[in-house]
Amino acid sequence: MGGGRPSAGAFRLQSMDTSTKAPIVVVGAGYVGLVTAVGFARVRDVRVVDKNEALIERLRAGNLDISEPGLQQRFEQYGKRLSFHSTLAAALINDRRQLVFVAVGTPSENRGDAFSPDRMGEAANLESVEAIVVALAGRSKTAVVMKSTVPPGTGDRLLATARESGQEFLYLSCPEFLQEGNAFASLDYPDRIVLGQESHSWATDELLALHAELHIATHTVALAVEPLIMDITGAELVKHASNLHLAMRISYANHIANLSEELRTDVDPVLKAVGMDSRIGDKFLTPGLGFGGSCFEKDIRALRFFASTRNVDTSLATCVLSINQAQVDRVVAKLERHLGSLTDAQIALLGIAFKPGTDDIRGSRALALARRLRDSGATVRAWDPEEGARKRAVDDDPSDCHSIPLDPKEMASSVDDAVKAADAVVLVTEWPSFESLSWDKIAQAMRGDLVIDGRNQLLPAEVRAAGLEYEGTGRESRGLYQPLAEVEAEV
Ligand code: UGA
């Protein structure tokens, strides 16, 4: 089925009368849903729906559960245009055309069986998505706009199922490319707007008009990027393809960093030179402890699953994931190389959020590392500058199937508390405040003298000036493999 062409006028739309427009509905008040809803509230009335009644109550009272730069401010500024509902029915309007954005989670779930253990935990769980679409199917004035990341083919399958029971409805795929910690920049300055559809309809015009209005509200000029219109499956694939590519670059950078360590050279100028090739570019080439977050690993697992069900080679996805996992193992191996057995060693972890600028700990490398260290008999003391990250890290969060929370006694009350009597400090998340740490003070508080920079954030000379030993990722590192000549020299 073809994507269909939009009307040429849609892109040139400068302003329109929105007073008669039905409020937009956004289902799912998690990270994507809430940021999207608050973003849309700049130009439209938005009804936010979430089945979590306690969350809806907190939002009605003006309390946000997530920390994202600009969210609180926009929430207050455009709050009058937002309303919160715990049922879909309460948000729907029957007599006017209405866009319903679906932004609920699609976590990994076990789909393996005894004969295909490799597929365990890889498929996307579409229960929530499907329940919403089923509830909306057959409503002729409603268009479902899918923002949740779903496996390619989902939209066509849901449409076909509805049609079998005589229900016609409009379904569009509009994948989101929000980057946590930078979400409003992703909304205000989109690199691209992707729209998947069966054919052109009023919903296409509405969606394009919405994006055009948002752009005008931000920049006072017409939308500069021409939306990319394709079929639904193609739009669904764009999301997985983008995340695989970004994650692949990170694993590539880590692969080159590991090679640099073993070759005793510095990865920074190597990757800088690589990134200067305009065909390659310099973004997402920072080596370190690897990617965390709620998206990359989950989406690559889902991609691997749907590729395997169609007999397409899955080794690229597997390789990206295994390099990423090995970065954590590599830090453990470096600690062992310096400290010997980790039994009873005390390790301070600086940074728990999966990246700076967020309190999200889903897929946190710190939690993955803490687990490995605990298994090796070490004691972990972790700290993060973001209060929300510290709180979440000790909560048993069922929405994150890849992390085991910290024990409350593993949570430090400050950097000073984390490093007290530590044998080694590992920098896990590159929070800006870590750039001004007093290494003299830290050196005095520690029992040992090892600092492992898991994000290449620190200045090695500053750390060494405090009498500490510094080891980075692909720089200032002795690697794990010791050449025979060095072994002989040591003997
Ligand atoms: C990612 C994508 O960047 C978004 O485009 C996408 O919309 C989103 O997933 C999603 O699927 O919803 P996000 O997970 O918020 O966004 O965070 P990123 O900034 O992409 O970082 C992901 C992880 O990669 C972090 O742990 C970060 O520390 C790590 N990373 C990033 C590196 O290790 N090296 C780099 O060079 C860049």
Side-chain angles (χ1 to χ4, degrees):
M1 280 186 247
R5 295 284 310 153
S7 65
F11 302 124
R12 288 192 220 107
L13 195 69
Q14 303 271 327
S15 64
M16 69 187 308
D17 176 19
T18 58
S19 55
T20 56
K21 296 225 162 286
I24 283 169
V25 176
V26 176
V27 190
Y31 180 83
V32 172
L34 203 53
V35 168
T36 305
V38 171
F40 288 166
R42 192 169 194 168
V43 293
R44 297 288 178 83
D45 288 339
V46 184
R47 295 181 175 179
V48 181
V49 179
D50 200 296
K51 64 182 179 193
N52 181 339
E53 287 179 21
L55 172 61
I56 290 298
E57 280 310 318
R58 286 198 294 280
L59 289 169
R60 281 183 184 145
N63 297 324
L64 294 171
D65 273 10
I66 57 173
S67 151
E68 172 64 33
L71 180 60
Q72 182 72 42
Q73 187 213 338
R74 291 199 195 205
F75 188 73
E76 284 163 17
Q77 193 174 354
Y78 304 113
K80 283 203 184 90
R81 291 218 178 107
L82 289 160
S83 64
F84 301 96
H85 311 268
S86 56
T87 64
L88 189 52
L92 295 175
I93 282 186
N94 295 324
D95 60 350
R96 275 176 290 163
R97 289 171 168 173
Q98 192 172 33
L99 295 179
V100 177
F101 290 81
V102 180
V104 295
T106 51
S108 296
E109 72 163 10
N110 284 345
R111 282 277 185 89
D113 56 46
F115 304 103
S116 58
D118 194 36
R119 291 185 186 170
M120 289 290 276
E122 300 199 333
N125 180 329
L126 299 179
E127 215 176 293
S128 306
V129 163
E130 286 178 5
I132 295 159
V133 174
V134 166
L136 294 170
R139 291 179 61 90
S140 60
K141 288 195 164 76
T142 305
V144 177
V145 185
M146 190 55 67
K147 283 237 157 264
S148 299
T149 303
V150 296
T154 301
D156 284 348
R157 180 172 58 76
L158 294 172
L159 278 163
T161 309
R163 280 178 188 141
E164 274 166 25
S165 50
Q167 292 175 312
E168 278 296 332
F169 70 110
L170 281 172
Y171 182 104
L172 290 85
S173 166
C174 184
E176 63 80 17
F177 303 105
L178 299 180
Q179 215 185 348
E180 291 193 31
N182 214 15
F184 288 105
S186 314
L187 266 183
D188 294 344
Y189 303 91
D191 288 332
R192 76 283 211 200
I193 294 162
V194 172
L195 176 51
Q197 60 180 13
E198 283 190 306
S199 58
H200 189 90
S201 70
W202 64 264
T204 317
D205 290 337
E206 286 271 326
L207 199 55
L208 294 176
L210 175 64
H211 282 103
E213 283 168 49
L214 270 177
H215 195 83
I216 290 168
T218 314
H219 306 282
T220 64
V221 292
L223 192 55
V225 287
E226 178 141 333
L228 273 165
I229 304 202
M230 57 190 78
D231 63 23
I232 294 171
T233 301
E236 290 165 341
L237 183 57
V238 170
K239 178 63 192 258
H240 292 86
S242 298
N243 278 357
L244 175 63
H245 185 91
L246 291 168
M248 188 178 73
R249 288 172 71 89
I250 298 168
S251 283
Y252 161 81
N254 284 329
H255 177 59
I256 302 300
N258 297 341
L259 280 174
S260 300
E261 288 186 353
E262 301 310 337
L263 295 165
R264 310 291 188 268
T265 189
D266 183 350
V267 72
D268 292 347
V270 174
L271 286 175
K272 185 172 178 191
V274 170
M276 284 170 79
D277 183 328
S278 58
R279 292 168 302 177
I280 297 174
D282 60 359
K283 304 243 170 52
F284 273 65
L285 284 184
T286 309
L289 262 158
F291 55 81
S294 62
C295 304
F296 284 171
E297 179 160 346
K298 172 179 81 73
D299 293 350
I300 296 168
R301 282 175 181 274
L303 179 146
R304 184 165 66 169
F305 181 77
F306 64 70
S308 75
T309 60
R310 285 159 179 82
N311 273 338
V312 174
D313 187 288
T314 56
S315 51
L316 178 60
T318 297
C319 177
V320 169
L321 291 175
S322 72
I323 291 177
N324 199 53
Q325 176 53 37
Q327 289 309 102
V328 170
D329 299 338
R330 212 171 157 88
V331 166
V332 175
K334 282 180 186 173
L335 288 166
E336 282 170 342
R337 199 195 62 217
H338 284 270
L339 305 175
S341 160
L342 295 183
T343 307
D344 298 330
Q346 189 167 315
I347 314 293
L349 304 183
L350 300 186
I352 304 172
F354 85 93
K355 67 175 188 178
T358 178
D359 63 354
D360 194 343
I361 55 136
R362 288 175 295 175
S364 155
R365 300 287 80 198
L367 296 189
L369 183 55
R371 182 183 184 175
R372 288 280 285 104
L373 292 170
R374 218 177 284 130
D375 290 349
S376 306
T379 304
V380 171
R381 300 280 292 152
W383 191 76
D384 192 282
E386 182 70 45
E387 192 191 345
R390 299 200 297 273
K391 231 170 102 203
R392 288 171 205 271
V394 290
D395 264 5
D396 199 347
D397 180 358
S399 67
D400 179 10
C401 54
H402 294 297
S403 304
I404 291 180
L406 294 177
D407 188 285
K409 65 176 187 297
E410 294 175 322
M411 180 60 67
S413 57
S414 60
V415 172
D416 293 349
D417 186 34
V419 302
K420 201 167 141 197
D423 294 294
V425 171
V426 182
L427 187 140
V428 184
T429 313
E430 68 278 31
W431 283 101
S433 61
F434 292 158
E435 275 162 28
S436 48
L437 289 172
S438 164
W439 290 101
D440 284 326
K441 206 168 144 202
I442 291 173
Q444 277 170 20
M446 286 174 71
R447 180 164 67 190
D449 64 358
L450 176 62
V451 176
I452 294 193
D453 186 352
R455 295 289 173 188
N456 286 355
Q457 184 194 19
L458 306 171
L459 294 173
E462 256 182 31
V463 177
R464 289 202 180 109
L468 296 167
E469 200 167 339
Y470 174 92
E471 177 139 6
T473 310
R475 68 170 197 188
E476 312 270 341
S477 166
R478 276 176 37 211
L480 298 178
Y481 165 76
Q482 202 174 12
L484 194 57
E486 278 183 22
V487 179
E488 282 166 357
E490 275 177 19
V491 171

